[in-house]
Each structure stands twice: as structure tokens, then as C-alpha cells.
Amino acid sequence: MPLVPIVLISHPDLLRHDTGGGLHPEVPERLTAIRARLAAGPLAAVLREETSRAADWPDLLVYHDEAYLARFEEAALAGRSHLGHPDNQISYDSFNAALLAAGAGLVGIDLLEREAGVLPFCSVRPPGHHAERALALGFCFINNIVVAARYWQRRYGRRRLAVVDWDAHHGNGIQAAFETDPEVLYASIHEHPTFSFPGTGYSDETGTGPGLGYTLNVPLPPGAHDAMVLAALDEQLEPALTAFAPEGLIVAAGLDGHRQDDMSGLAYSTGLYRRLGERMAAWGRRYCQGRVLSILEGGYELEPLAASVEAYLLGLAEGE
């Protein structure tokens, strides 16, 4: 079976987000390592590159507080070293990079709506799934997933969307955005919050009000391995997706559950990410006519990050 084309969406200015000279785990080399691996590997023949665009303020205000965005922009332009917490390192170019990171998902959605048979992967930084309405957290400033989902709903009328998040850490910002919304299913597999940042994502967090039942959290113990993730996909996520019947699938593609990445205590192999790609492709075909958008989240050890992204995209391009 021929590989489905992969569209790598990124921008050179994403590398200008400076987190302090290499001691911080979220570094520009994350993106250059991914691009180099893909360009030299088996996906090179079906890899196409597209340039991100900056998200507009109306795209951001669907979730983020205007005063918070202004504070972020001011802090960056004023040369401050961080926003809120020292983990959230910034530089003069960080606000622009965050706009470009958020805009990549919008470019990907436009591609999905314009062309059949493409699979966009947004290779972006800073990541986004911890960012809340008015709070930077965990290296995240703008919630790229939330911005993309609301754009898809608003611009193309795809009301029922599923967000699948298999970053090692719970996406508290995504959950906060959608926990009262019955039109977005948020499903996350992550290290148990007792042991892991940010301390949210217990299994009894299932949404509130009209969104009750549309949040699914599957916390795994430290040391969790591939078979446990695959079982969660089969036994919990797939039935939820079948019942929900989404019109589009957004993947929060975090690679920091790899056993060589010390940002979590999980023990995933590189091969698991290929299986995840196969599963996301199959779900995309089964539920939403192949409309799958993937956005990079975590993953900080460069070699396993690049290898795992390649494995994921191979699985996605081959299908199940």
C-alpha cells in the first residue's frame, strides 16, 4: 500500500524562541532534529513542507484572555526572562513564535478541508497543552490544540471534534477549555497525576455540566509500557470515539513518554509510536473521512524524539 502524503507544517522563526541557552529542556534543536530525521528517512519521498502563519488575535481570543495575551507580548518585547514561572522561559521572539505555533494548526485544518488524502503534522514550539485561559504553564503559552479546534468549528462547521492526547503529561489546558462542552471529546492517556506534572487528569475527571461524560482520562503508573497504552486505546478510547462519532480528530502528539526521556517515568518504546500512528490513521478513516491533524507537544531527548516522530508518521502514513 502506498504511503499517504505527510505535510510537515513549521516555520524558521519557531527556532527563535530562546529558552535560556540549552539548559532548559524545550530547545530549538527539537525541531531541527525532527526535520533532519524525516528528510533522510523513508518518509522523505512523501514528505511535503508547508509554512505556518501567525494566528490572529480573534483566533486566540476564542479561549485566551486578552489581558493575558497582552501581558505575554509585553513581557517578551521588554526582554523579560520568563512569564509567570521560571519554567516558562521567554525571549524577545517568543510571542511571535507562539503565534506561529498556534497558526500551524490552522494551516493544517485548511489543508484537510481543501485536499483529500493528506496528513498534516505541525512541528512546532512552544508546545501548548498546559496553557490555560490566562496562565502560562509547563513551557506552554498559547494552547495550540484549543485554538485549532475552535477554528475548525468556526471556519468549517465541524462541530463534533475529538482530541486524543498521549503526551506523558495531562493536558490540563485542553481539559479546562472543553470540560463543559459536549461537542468536543477530550481523551488523554498520561502518567498518573500523583507522580507527574501538572497534578491533574484523574480518572474521575469526566467533564462538568453539559460536558459531563465528554472527558476521558486514563492515568498510567510510572513504568507503564506499550501494552498498557494499547489496551487503553482498545478498551476505553475506541468505544468512546465510536459513541461520539467525531467529524475531525486532533492529536496532541507528545513523545515524552519514551523510556529514554527523563521528563516522565513512563517506559514507552519507539515502536509504540508507530502503533499509535496506525491507530490514529484507522480512527481517522473510520470516524471522520481521514481528517486527522497532529500537533507536536512534548518530547525533549533529541534522538528518541526524532525517531519517535518518524515512527508515528510512518504508522500514520501506512495506516492499520
Side-chain angles (χ1 to χ4, degrees), residues 120-135:
F121 178 78
C122 302
S123 185
V124 296
R125 60 183 293 272
H129 76 154
H130 294 310
E132 298 191 2
R133 185 183 66 85
L135 180 68

Side-chain angles (χ1 to χ4, degrees), residues 14 46 51 89 120 156 181 195 253 260:
L14 296 171
V46 295
T51 302
Q89 290 287 309
Y156 294 102
D181 188 347
F195 307 99
Q260 291 179 254

Side-chain angles (χ1 to χ4, degrees), residues 61-84:
L61 292 174
V62 295
Y63 179 47
H64 289 290
D65 179 77
E66 186 171 11
Y68 163 72
L69 295 172
R71 188 166 70 250
F72 176 21
E73 182 178 29
E74 178 185 359
L77 297 180
R80 295 181 190 159
S81 63
H82 62 274
L83 184 67

Side-chain angles (χ1 to χ4, degrees), residues 127-146:
H129 76 154
H130 294 310
E132 298 191 2
R133 185 183 66 85
L135 180 68
L137 197 67
F139 321 152
C140 302
F141 305 92
I142 293 173
N143 201 305
N144 305 323
I145 299 285
V146 176

